């Protein structure tokens, strides 16, 4: 398993991260716990989760899996939806309780998908106050944000933060073989993060899983493309031993791609990617949990 540095934090994390959503979809809780521990035993140290995943089941299962010495082996990340100080503070404490830990290494503002989300978070009485208070109290170590909708929203979040003299430690966003062709986070946001030494967390390598249904690329090619970008980790859903083994294989076999190989992958996916029909997280609201549950925002 290759390990990479998470921006200016200096933390070393596994190049493959275990996604929290899919681990909560596993019908058998004990099987999901075994998967998490098998992933850690295989060298995966970056654990992704979120306060709202599967009604809290994802965090509860991960908390159980990280008992018996496993917590010390991982870099633990979770996310909150609250946009107000009070709602964010409550969600941070609930995540800590479910994950059975006294601190979360990286806590992120989840689903920054609306142009007004940055304004709410950085307003007086906004969620940034709860995040910074939790950081000062030792409940969280680093602060980031995530979103999947449009690079313009990410850029605005970074701009509003800078206006408040705040710099994020990490940012999570979709990066895949089709993103370069349509509302591209790779082209519009990645350079901003690298210039400010902010840790880059990639997600949606398979488009969950619609990119694979385009029949233009293989799973290993999808992962290798994203691993070839200057990212700290590629967070991917792992819901079976077979998928875990595939991801470990992708990490073991990865070598930097030539310019010709990258050009070939992009050419192969160009037509399918042109309108975003395989990146439904950008073009539909099916993945917008906070749109379907606005009360989570506070």
């Amino acid at each position: 398993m290759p390990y990479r540095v998470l921006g200016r934090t200096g933390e070393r994390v596994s190049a493959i991260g275990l996604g929290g959503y899919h681990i909560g979809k596993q019908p058998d809780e004990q099987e999901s716990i075994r998967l998490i521990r098998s992933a850690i035993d295989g060298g995966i140290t970056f654990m992704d989760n979120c306060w709202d995943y599967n009604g809290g089941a994802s965090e509860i299962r991960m908390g159980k899996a990280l008992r018996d010495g496993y917590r010390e082996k991982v870099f633990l990340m979770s996310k909150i939806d609250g946009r107000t100080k009070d709602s964010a503070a409550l969600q941070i404490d609930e995540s800590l309780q479910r994950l059975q830990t006294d601190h979360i290494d990286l806590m992120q503002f989840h689903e920054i998908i609306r142009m007004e989300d940055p304004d709410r978070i950085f307003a007086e009485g906004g969620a940034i106050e709860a995040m910074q208070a939790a950081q000062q109290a030792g409940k969280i170590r680093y602060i980031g944000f995530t979103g999947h909708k449009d690079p313009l929203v990410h850029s605005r979040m970074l701009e509003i933060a800078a206006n408040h003299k705040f710099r994020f430690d990490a940012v999570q966003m979709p990066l895949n073989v089709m993103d370069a062709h349509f509302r591209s986070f790779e082209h519009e946001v990645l350079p901003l993060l690298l210039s400010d030494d902010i840790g880059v967390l990639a997600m949606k390598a398979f488009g969950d899983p619609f990119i694979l249904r385009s029949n233009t690329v293989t799973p290993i090619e999808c992962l290798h493309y994203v691993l070839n970008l200057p990212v700290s980790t590629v967070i991917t859903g792992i819901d079976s031993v077979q998928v875990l083994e595939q991801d470990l294989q992708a990490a073991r076999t990865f070598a930097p791609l030539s310019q010709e190989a990258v050009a070939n992958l992009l050419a192969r996916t160009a037509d399918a990617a042109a309108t975003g029909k395989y990146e439904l997280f950008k073009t539909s609201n099916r993945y917008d949990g906070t749109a379907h549950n606005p009360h989570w925002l506070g």
Side-chain angles (χ1 to χ4, degrees), residues 51-52 80-89 91 109-114 116-117 120-121 125-127 288-298:
W51 172 85
D52 70 44
I80 57 163
D81 299 310
R83 301 298 190 249
T84 66
K85 180 179 180 179
D86 289 346
S87 61
Q91 291 170 14
F109 296 108
H110 188 220
E111 284 197 7
I112 305 304
I113 58 176
R114 309 162 192 82
E116 68 271 18
D117 282 338
R120 292 197 65 191
I121 286 169
D288 302 350
T290 53
H292 299 298
N293 300 275
H295 57 282
W296 292 348
L297 299 173

Side-chain angles (χ1 to χ4, degrees), residues 19-254:
Y21 181 78
H22 288 78
I23 212 70
K25 299 296 287 186
Q26 169 67 239
D28 182 356
E29 181 184 86
Q30 291 305 310
E31 178 61 20
S32 67
I33 291 171
R34 284 191 290 270
L35 271 175
I36 293 169
R37 292 186 170 183
S38 294
I40 298 169
D41 293 339
I44 294 177
T45 62
F46 191 99
M47 299 286 115
D48 162 272
N49 223 304
C50 181
W51 172 85
D52 70 44
Y53 284 166
N54 301 295
S58 288
E59 286 187 329
I60 290 169
R61 292 180 179 192
M62 189 165 282
K64 292 178 180 179
L66 294 181
R67 294 173 182 165
D68 304 323
Y70 277 89
R71 172 67 183 91
E72 290 73 28
K73 298 179 180 181
V74 304
F75 184 90
L76 180 60
M77 179 268 278
S78 199
K79 318 178 196 79
I80 57 163
D81 299 310
R83 301 298 190 249
T84 66
K85 180 179 180 179
D86 289 346
S87 61
L90 180 63
Q91 291 170 14
I92 290 169
D93 286 344
E94 287 181 352
S95 288
L96 287 164
Q97 183 178 24
R98 292 170 182 165
L99 289 164
Q100 301 186 38
T101 184
D102 62 356
H103 74 281
I104 292 168
D105 296 298
L106 170 63
M107 183 63 87
Q108 302 200 98
F109 296 108
H110 188 220
E111 284 197 7
I112 305 304
I113 58 176
R114 309 162 192 82
M115 294 299 277
E116 68 271 18
D117 282 338
D119 300 286
R120 292 197 65 191
I121 286 169
F122 283 95
E124 183 177 354
I128 189 64
E129 295 180 11
M131 280 282 213
Q132 291 179 308
Q135 188 178 48
Q136 291 167 4
K139 295 178 179 181
I140 61 177
R141 298 175 64 207
Y142 304 110
I143 299 172
F145 76 89
T146 176
H148 55 254
K149 188 61 63 182
D150 195 299
L152 288 174
V153 183
H154 269 55
S155 298
R156 189 163 192 279
M157 185 69 160
L158 294 168
E159 178 186 358
I160 297 298
N163 290 345
H164 287 81
K165 296 181 171 49
F166 182 84
R167 184 168 68 163
F168 287 102
D169 299 303
V171 172
Q172 185 172 334
M173 59 189 182
L175 291 168
N176 57 62
V177 294
M178 292 191 174
D179 169 77
H181 302 293
F182 181 81
R183 280 161 48 177
S184 177
F185 287 86
E186 178 183 340
H187 291 162
E188 299 180 36
V189 182
L190 183 58
L192 300 177
L193 303 182
L194 297 177
S195 69
D196 215 6
D197 202 15
I198 296 172
V200 182
L201 309 177
M203 63 176 173
K204 310 294 189 189
F206 304 125
D208 192 41
F210 296 100
I211 289 173
L212 295 177
R213 295 181 187 174
S214 71
N215 296 316
T216 58
V217 281
T218 67
I220 296 295
E221 286 176 328
C222 287
L223 289 170
H224 281 180
Y225 178 86
V226 187
L227 287 167
N228 195 59
L229 297 172
V231 303
S232 298
T233 192
V234 180
I235 299 165
T236 184
I238 298 174
D239 54 8
S240 69
V241 173
Q242 291 75 20
V243 170
L244 173 59
E245 290 175 350
Q246 169 188 278
D247 293 345
L248 293 175
Q249 179 191 356
R252 284 193 302 267
T253 58
F254 173 72

